[in-house]
Amino acid sequence: MQVLEAAVTGLDPGKPYLLALASEPSGAGTLEPLQGFMTNPAGAAIVNAIGPIRQVVRSEGKTSRRYLVILPGTPDNHGAAVQVQRE
């Protein structure tokens, strides 16, 4: 078990969002949801994803890079990425 902690800002206040891994740098492609969260009145949150993070990121064989993304909504119903990992 590992913990991934992300401090996020610049989002709409009091709205649900999803921290996920995307197969494309734009946030498109295959998504692997990590943790849903709700922003505070300032549009920020501290998000903790607990689980087999290394196993999700690292798999057997050739694996393409994945990118951390934030999407509005929930794991079952979300929109396009509003924030993406920068290199």
Side-chain angles (χ1 to χ4, degrees), residues 4 6 10 12 15 17 23 29-30 39 42 45 48 50-51 54-55 57 60-61 66 70 78 80-82 85-87:
L4 170 68
D12 290 332
K15 302 281 183 170
Y17 286 90
S23 60
T30 304
T39 55
N48 290 297
I50 300 171
R54 286 186 193 139
Q55 290 83 348
V57 174
E60 299 300 319
R66 291 178 226 165
I70 297 175
H78 55 77
V82 292
Q85 176 182 345
R86 294 167 107 178
E87 296 201 33

Side-chain angles (χ1 to χ4, degrees), residues 20-58:
L21 290 170
S23 60
E24 303 292 326
S26 65
T30 304
L31 290 175
E32 295 180 55
L34 296 175
Q35 183 66 47
F37 65 95
M38 185 79 69
T39 55
N40 65 20
I46 302 295
V47 185
N48 290 297
I50 300 171
I53 306 294
R54 286 186 193 139
Q55 290 83 348
V56 169
V57 174
R58 179 181 24 174

